[in-house]
Amino acid sequence: MGAICHICDSNTVSLAESYTDLFRVTSDCKPFNQGGKLGKCNSCYCTINPTDVSWQQETDAIYRDYSLYPLGAGSEPSSFDGSAMSSRSSILINKLQDLFDFSRPGRLLDVGCSNGGFFRCFSKYAPLWKMVGFEVSDYYRAEVEAIPGVEAFYEGSLERISGQFDLITLVHVFEHLPTPVKWLECLRKLLTPTGRLLIQVPDCSANPFDLVVADHCSHFTITTLTQLLRRNGFEVSVGSDEWIAKELTILAGRSEILNDTHVLRDDPRFSPFTSVEWLLSLTSTIVRESEDENFGVFGSSIAATWVAAILGDRLKFFVDEEPTRVGKNHLGKPILAPSQVPQNSTLFVCLAPVQAERVAKRMSTHGFKVVVPSPVPTPVEKS
């Protein structure tokens, strides 16, 4: 024990002591130092990085030097949609088309709108909708306000926003919030009676590498995120881990019940303590395999950056299948296409094991050595 849960305010958080031995990364894909805290709340069952003074100081430093999608020149990353690569926004909006009538007028609020990437995509599908952006600062104000269909841009506090909305989106925002319940209270008031709140966050049960992101303070499973929304005045209509790989997507409307009293339950599929031990074991594997002279890592995002944090100059290259990244440098190392990898190389596919096996099959045709992580063990709980 020894930490307060910023989600439910209980003092029943159990810490993973060995977490401090892990290297970390920032959410804009930069190596970060060892340290920090990770634990599990034994009241709401969420996995958290306690938002103490140390976490706040580290996060403030990260955001002072933050780069939005640095390898994409400000454009959001792509994901596989079936067999093709598509932007995250287009995948989400295509899914939402089955649930919304975008041919009629409506209002959208994008919380954490950054430079307006979601708006540019959304306006193609819903030309009659008015769009409103919110950010913690006004850095992207001019860029967002210049997008056709944008009605307003707000910064600083949700309380400044006027009117109500048919759709409110938080895409990779909720995991950063140190006071998520207060945000939910505000967001509920901003929804129309029939409006929907869309939240997308990393799925820590499918992707243990989410745990090493230093500026994330909450890590959710579908169970813990759904329970949090229900207890704070929302009725969940969609809860999926299939819309986008390694992501959780929740769609919820206002509930008449402000304080759901259903008994909270744990998610037996995930334990942060088991995942931390797996990450530490994986660290040893990475160090051992990097003794090969030409050692590279697949990917150029969070997990690959974590490998770079561990290895430094022992990492020689990154490999990516996204054409827009090939030919660029990440952390001073080249990003190669699979066909460009030297035959005498070792490529470590640093992804969640199921995904890594799929990638390894594609890479095995190129002739170099391919190494994948071992499976994550069955969760072992700790109190």
Side-chain angles (χ1 to χ4, degrees), residues 51-106:
T51 56
D52 54 18
V53 172
S54 177
W55 180 86
Q56 191 62 63
Q57 289 175 340
E58 288 185 339
T59 302
D60 288 346
I62 290 169
Y63 292 160
R64 280 196 298 270
D65 190 34
Y66 203 82
S67 302
L68 181 66
Y69 310 132
L71 287 175
S75 299
E76 64 178 311
S78 298
S79 298
F80 274 103
D81 184 16
S83 59
M85 295 288 283
S86 300
S87 72
R88 185 166 56 204
S89 292
S90 64
I91 296 172
L92 281 175
I93 296 167
N94 271 314
K95 298 287 187 181
L96 289 171
Q97 282 191 108
D98 296 332
L99 305 169
F100 285 82
D101 183 0
F102 288 140
S103 67
R104 296 184 177 184

Side-chain angles (χ1 to χ4, degrees), residues 131-180:
M131 301 177 294
V132 174
F134 174 84
E135 264 296 348
V136 293
S137 76
D138 64 356
Y139 185 82
Y140 292 109
R141 175 185 293 277
E143 191 171 350
V144 171
E145 289 181 335
I147 299 171
V150 169
E151 182 182 74
F153 177 95
Y154 293 90
E155 52 89 15
S157 172
L158 289 177
E159 284 82 359
R160 302 179 61 186
I161 300 175
S162 61
Q164 290 186 311
F165 299 87
D166 303 288
L167 176 62
I168 300 176
T169 54
L170 291 87
V171 179
H172 285 264
V173 172
F174 203 65
E175 66 270 24
H176 293 264
L177 304 178
T179 55

Side-chain angles (χ1 to χ4, degrees), residues 27-30 66-78 85 87-88 114-115 117 120 140 143 300-301 305 320 322-331 335:
S27 60
D28 61 339
C29 295
K30 297 172 185 172
Y66 203 82
S67 302
L68 181 66
Y69 310 132
L71 287 175
S75 299
E76 64 178 311
S78 298
M85 295 288 283
S87 72
R88 185 166 56 204
S114 62
N115 63 355
R120 293 184 185 90
Y140 292 109
E143 191 171 350
S300 51
S301 297
T305 302
D320 211 302
E322 190 169 336
T324 58
R325 296 191 176 207
V326 172
K328 295 181 179 179
N329 287 327
H330 181 44
L331 306 175
I335 302 176

